[in-house]
Amino acid sequence: MAGVDELVCHSGSCHCGNVKFTVLAPPTIEVWKCNCSVCTKKQNDHFIVPRTRFTLAPDSERHLTTYTFNSGQAKHTFCRTCGVQSFYTPRSNPDGVGIMPHCIDSNTVTSIVYREFDGQNWEQFIETSDIRSQSKE
């Protein structure tokens, strides 16, 4: 995990620009590729940050809607105008935010490291994964 002095401010948005945000994260981001049913359908690659490092722009909240399924723990928020999910609250990290790297608009990501998350076997995988640590300061 990066130290605070290694963080940069990334800015991002949905396609239509109604939902905008900033996030403090390293310039090299660790992106999770999950194979659960919804992540597979949406190609929901994401990196996770503590909620305190995520800021939703004023007026963006009113453009959001949320989809939940199964346990209802993951909150798949997306723009009600264009349908793009630029961030969400992961089941694995309810104290954090999952950010879609393809929704970062700033030229601040220097590289991406991909990791696999076995969402088809969620309960078993979460016990051996370090993903929960990524939403901690």
Side-chain angles (χ1 to χ4, degrees):
M1 192 165 329
V4 174
D5 58 335
E6 300 170 8
L7 302 177
V8 297
C9 184
H10 304 285
S11 60
S13 67
C14 65
H15 184 258
C16 71
N18 284 338
V19 176
K20 296 179 181 175
F21 63 90
T22 57
V23 59
L24 291 174
T28 296
I29 54 176
E30 188 172 279
V31 172
W32 292 92
K33 297 178 83 55
C34 179
N35 66 357
C36 78
S37 61
V38 75
C39 287
T40 298
K41 293 277 187 184
K42 295 191 318 177
Q43 295 297 294
N44 190 34
D45 298 350
H46 59 279
F47 63 100
I48 298 172
V49 298
R51 189 164 301 282
T52 57
R53 293 189 187 157
F54 175 82
T55 303
L56 190 59
D59 199 45
S60 291
E61 184 77 35
R62 71 182 184 95
H63 296 285
L64 293 173
T65 192
T66 302
Y67 171 71
T68 62
F69 71 102
N70 197 6
S71 70
Q73 292 178 319
K75 308 295 183 212
H76 295 271
T77 49
F78 59 96
C79 175
R80 66 177 66 243
T81 302
C82 68
V84 168
Q85 175 183 284
S86 49
F87 65 91
Y88 83 115
T89 302
R91 176 181 174 194
S92 61
N93 300 72
D95 58 341
V97 180
I99 311 293
M100 287 54 217
H102 50 273
C103 289
I104 298 294
D105 299 324
S106 56
N107 193 16
T108 50
V109 175
T110 57
S111 63
I112 297 175
V113 176
Y114 288 96
R115 294 186 63 189
E116 301 291 325
F117 187 90
D118 186 3
Q120 291 181 0
N121 299 292
W122 197 95
E123 287 78 9
Q124 295 86 0
F125 191 80
I126 197 71
E127 295 303 319
T128 59
S129 174
D130 65 341
I131 193 169
R132 286 186 168 153
S133 68
Q134 294 187 343
S135 56
K136 308 297 183 225
E137 290 288 344

